Amino acid sequence: MPPEFSLLSQLDDQLASLADQQLHRQLREVQTPTAPSLMVDGEALIAFCSNDYLGLAADPRVIEALREGALRYGAGSGASHLISGHSAAHAQLEIQLAAMQASHLINPRALFFSTGYMANLAVLTALAGKEADIFSEALNHASLIDGARLSRARVTIYTRDDLSALDRLLAGSAATTKLVVTDSVFSMEGAIAPLPELLALCERHQAWLVVDDAHGFGVLGEQGAGVLQHFGLRSSQLVYIGTLGKAAGVAGAFVAAHATVIEWLVQRARTYIYTTASPPAIAHALLTSLAIISGAEGAMRRQSLRNHIQQLRDALQLQRWRLLPSETPIQPVLIGPNQPTLQAGESLRAQGLWVAAIRPPTVPKESARLRITLSAAHTAAQITQLAGAINAMERVCV
Ligand SMILES: *Cc1c(COP(=O)(O)O)cnc(C)c1O
């Protein structure tokens, strides 16, 4: 056999083994704008799996701003930020983003990134080197895990339900640079990290607190500024990451922190320096999206979202499956083994309801779950339908 075929057959074997374990995943083609009602591979579905929490992704004003941004700045940025790709739209967006976090940081500045994945790699690799200690929550997002590895720092895992252990770990660290790194809203659980307690530990032990607020920005806090506003925190040791492709409905991410931290990222963050700046039109569209989030309409949308969350939690009547405690739009129903979880997902789809069936390795073994995400754009009737379908399914599932 020619060697290239043996290379391919190795991959074929590994793909077959994924299929055997029911871990093989499939792409689905969405043919309509991002919204609860979708056409997917020719099938009409109501989606409970997007992160478009406020329903802004297909908002006509945001779309119009994207068009206007393209007309004003062109389709692409043409270069990286430090060469000639940093447009007036990027600069303006960074000022707005810093203003949103102004009550929570000292001397705040924000830096825009193309994606949250890249922002997380940037923060961890620029702030932590070989001599640093990173303390990382067990349920952190893959991009934080990868950033910690890439930094070459020593990484220690902690869990949020044992903060006295984290206290001892921090006390025992002789590193001059210490980082505590956490998701604000755990993406497969919906629970919010105990940030006030974590910040107190970080201040006591002179550590940075790096907060990934991918699922909180736009959703939490009175003006939608996110988890720092939710808890009313303020510190120069906070390094805040918000993403802009979820509740903000567009794309990209940002880091907000003390201006000195941001200046260091501009000089050192490889995922900022060695990549083409994202299209200025994206930044321009985000200005419109941020104005909606921070204004009265944003507050109304967050209220609808909270109503939907309460409605779903009241309507689900589960005996064996378990609705995890969560006050955020992420509402997981824990089933356990892979097979019934997949079956539940398929059965919902047959009823026109699209809910992600999440399996290991995304979640720990034997903790497969339906991960429901809610949006302000859902209707009460859609939520009633979903809860009814899940209640009925649990009763017949063995
Ligand atoms: C989605 C997500 C990211 C990545 O952000 P992108 O902008 O999609 O790259 C990072 N962290 C968490 C917790 C996320 O959920």
Side-chain angles (χ1 to χ4, degrees):
M1 188 168 28
E4 69 269 26
F5 284 102
S6 103
L7 289 174
L8 286 172
S9 68
Q10 282 175 36
L11 290 182
D12 281 332
D13 290 349
Q14 291 173 53
L15 284 168
S17 139
L18 286 181
D20 286 347
Q21 301 166 70
Q22 289 161 338
L23 293 176
H24 189 264
R25 306 175 65 174
Q26 220 116 35
L27 287 166
R28 316 264 343 252
E29 234 172 83
V30 177
Q31 295 147 327
T32 46
T34 302
S37 291
L38 294 174
M39 195 56 81
V40 186
D41 293 324
E43 190 182 0
L45 294 177
I46 303 164
F48 291 93
C49 47
S50 122
N51 305 309
D52 180 25
Y53 299 124
L54 298 179
L56 289 175
D59 186 283
R61 293 159 294 176
V62 179
I63 296 169
E64 177 54 27
L66 186 62
R67 198 182 73 89
E68 183 188 274
L71 290 174
R72 194 180 295 185
Y73 298 101
S77 70
S80 63
H81 282 279
L82 285 171
I83 306 299
S84 61
H86 189 64
S87 76
H90 292 124
Q92 218 182 328
L93 175 64
E94 287 172 346
I95 288 169
Q96 289 303 319
L97 290 166
M100 284 178 82
Q101 305 304 323
S103 317
H104 311 294
L105 303 168
I106 313 297
N107 192 12
R109 184 179 161 194
L111 194 67
F112 177 65
F113 284 81
S114 300
T115 70
Y117 204 121
M118 292 164 79
N120 282 344
L121 294 188
V123 166
L124 297 190
T125 57
L127 289 184
K130 265 206 292 260
E131 310 303 320
D133 272 343
I134 291 179
F135 302 95
S136 179
E137 220 290 341
L139 298 179
N140 276 348
H141 189 261
S143 56
L144 290 173
I145 296 169
D146 292 356
R149 286 183 184 149
L150 198 57
S151 75
R152 297 188 287 170
R154 186 158 57 145
V155 181
T156 308
I157 307 298
Y158 75 91
T159 60
R160 67 179 194 275
D161 33 283
D162 191 0
L163 293 185
S164 60
L166 176 61
D167 191 12
R168 287 191 296 277
L169 287 169
L170 282 162
S173 163
T176 47
T177 305
K178 300 175 208 149
L179 279 75
V180 172
V181 180
T182 186
D183 281 18
S184 62
V185 176
F186 294 100
S187 50
M188 297 300 141
E189 311 271 312
I192 303 177
L195 290 186
E197 292 79 6
L198 286 170
L199 183 59
L201 284 181
C202 286
E203 291 191 325
R204 175 138 33 101
H205 296 287
Q206 279 299 297
W208 297 108
L209 179 56
V210 177
V211 179
D212 174 352
D213 200 25
H215 299 281
F217 181 75
V219 170
L220 298 175
E222 191 100 32
Q223 280 87 36
V227 77
L228 302 183
Q229 187 171 57
H230 173 81
F231 284 120
L233 302 178
R234 178 179 167 93
S235 169
S236 61
Q237 286 168 231
L238 283 165
V239 180
Y240 176 86
I241 299 137
T243 69
L244 301 166
K246 290 175 177 152
V250 188
F254 66 100
V255 181
H258 190 286
T260 302
V261 174
I262 299 301
E263 190 53 35
W264 181 247
L265 294 183
V266 172
Q267 305 305 320
R268 279 290 181 271
R270 296 168 67 86
T271 58
Y272 186 74
I273 299 169
Y274 299 106
T275 191
T276 299
S278 92
I282 300 280
H284 191 74
L286 280 164
L287 288 169
T288 295
S289 166
L290 293 188
I292 297 171
I293 287 173
S294 309
E297 189 183 330
M300 270 167 49
R301 288 182 185 229
R302 281 186 289 282
Q303 187 56 51
S304 320
L305 188 53
R306 281 193 296 272
N307 293 345
H308 293 341
I309 293 166
Q310 197 54 53
Q311 190 200 338
L312 178 76
R313 296 192 68 88
D314 291 344
L316 282 175
Q317 304 286 332
L318 302 174
Q319 268 104 58
R320 287 163 303 125
W321 300 350
R322 193 159 67 86
L323 178 63
L324 297 185
S326 159
E327 50 181 305
T328 68
I330 301 170
Q331 295 289 325
V333 173
L334 189 68
I335 296 179
N338 287 350
Q339 184 56 30
T341 309
L342 277 178
Q343 254 168 18
E346 277 161 22
S347 157
L348 286 173
R349 211 179 78 211
Q351 301 172 64
L353 301 166
W354 192 7
V355 177
I358 308 281
R359 290 154 283 163
T362 310
V363 291
K365 277 201 171 126
E366 293 304 309
S367 76
R369 63 198 68 183
L370 295 173
R371 178 179 182 270
I372 301 163
T373 56
L374 296 174
S375 167
H378 283 117
T379 63
Q382 288 169 337
I383 292 162
T384 302
Q385 191 188 344
L386 176 69
I390 293 177
N391 288 340
M393 224 165 41
E394 192 216 27
R395 248 141 252 161
V396 298
C397 174
V398 276

